[in-house]
Amino acid sequence: MKNYQQLDKFKLPQNFRGKGAITVQFWWLVQSTLFAWSPQFMYGWRRFLLRTFGARIGKNVIVRPTVRTQFPWKVSIGDHSWIGDDVVLYSLGEIEIGEHVVISQKSYICTGTHDPQSVSFDIYSHKITIEDQCWIATDVYVAPGVTIGRGTLVGARSSVFKDLPAGKICLGSPAQAIKDR
């Protein structure tokens, strides 16, 4: 019988997290308490916490207290961007979010995955780039390695598995450009 995956053979690549285990655990503790318990209006406080852990956060960025990120030191958010309630920035790899971007509630920005051909379930990450003035509507999934072009709107509940062009309205699973924005 063929073995498709044997998890006892899994090994996390060296320096995959980008920081040591103590820093990672401390961030997860801070995120679960000081970040998550902060009142809605305390955007400056959450920007401060993210920056303290190495995130590059522009001015007047709005990050809701229910936002989750794996490794903030791999996240960059440009000026005047909004990250909505229950958004996950699964930053196993770099996430670059431009200026004046909206990522609406419950969206999942996922930079990491596993190799389906690897019996040892090898993990890897690819950078996600969301260019300036994009709007990622509610409950959108963005896959590893994707770039979403400047000004593009991705409609609610869409799944983005490949790059999207600039200035479009894109919908579906997989998301496709349907018209100019």
Side-chain angles (χ1 to χ4, degrees):
M1 184 181 324
K2 180 177 176 160
N3 285 320
Y4 294 100
Q5 59 195 37
Q6 292 183 293
L7 300 180
D8 60 332
K9 297 188 181 302
F10 175 80
K11 287 188 178 26
L12 193 65
Q14 190 171 5
N15 201 33
F16 187 74
R17 294 180 175 124
K19 300 274 184 184
I22 292 172
T23 302
V24 170
Q25 293 300 313
F26 188 54
W27 163 248
W28 291 346
L29 177 65
V30 167
Q31 178 175 236
S32 297
T33 57
L34 299 174
F35 190 96
W37 296 344
S38 63
Q40 194 73 268
F41 65 88
M42 292 184 68
Y43 303 113
W45 170 247
R46 289 186 293 279
R47 287 190 301 264
F48 166 77
L49 290 173
L50 287 165
R51 287 175 182 138
T52 298
F53 282 89
R56 292 163 311 284
I57 307 294
K59 59 186 174 186
N60 299 317
V61 169
I62 292 176
V63 178
R64 300 293 218 179
T66 54
V67 169
R68 305 288 288 180
T69 187
Q70 199 72 5
F71 308 129
W73 45 89
K74 295 185 178 189
V75 174
S76 171
I77 305 173
D79 296 343
H80 310 288
S81 290
W82 301 349
I83 313 299
D85 285 309
D86 300 312
V87 167
V88 175
L89 301 175
Y90 197 55
S91 55
L92 298 183
E94 298 291 322
I95 296 175
E96 182 179 345
I97 299 167
E99 296 182 352
H100 302 276
V101 169
V102 174
I103 301 181
S104 296
Q105 64 276 9
K106 299 186 189 300
S107 290
Y108 198 98
I109 313 304
C110 182
T111 62
T113 191
H114 297 271
D115 180 353
Q117 304 303 319
S118 166
V119 171
S120 59
F121 211 56
D122 294 348
I123 192 169
Y124 62 90
S125 65
H126 292 292
K127 179 180 179 179
I128 291 174
T129 302
I130 301 172
E131 295 181 351
D132 296 345
Q133 299 181 29
C134 288
W135 176 14
I136 309 303
T138 190
D139 203 18
V140 168
Y141 172 80
V142 179
V146 165
T147 295
I148 299 175
R150 183 180 186 277
T152 287
L153 184 159
V154 180
R157 300 247 165 125
S158 294
S159 298
V160 183
F161 297 107
K162 61 182 184 175
D163 293 353
L164 296 176
K168 300 291 183 185
I169 295 175
C170 301
L171 299 172
S173 183
Q176 297 179 17
I178 60 165
K179 63 181 179 179
D180 292 337
R181 184 164 178 204

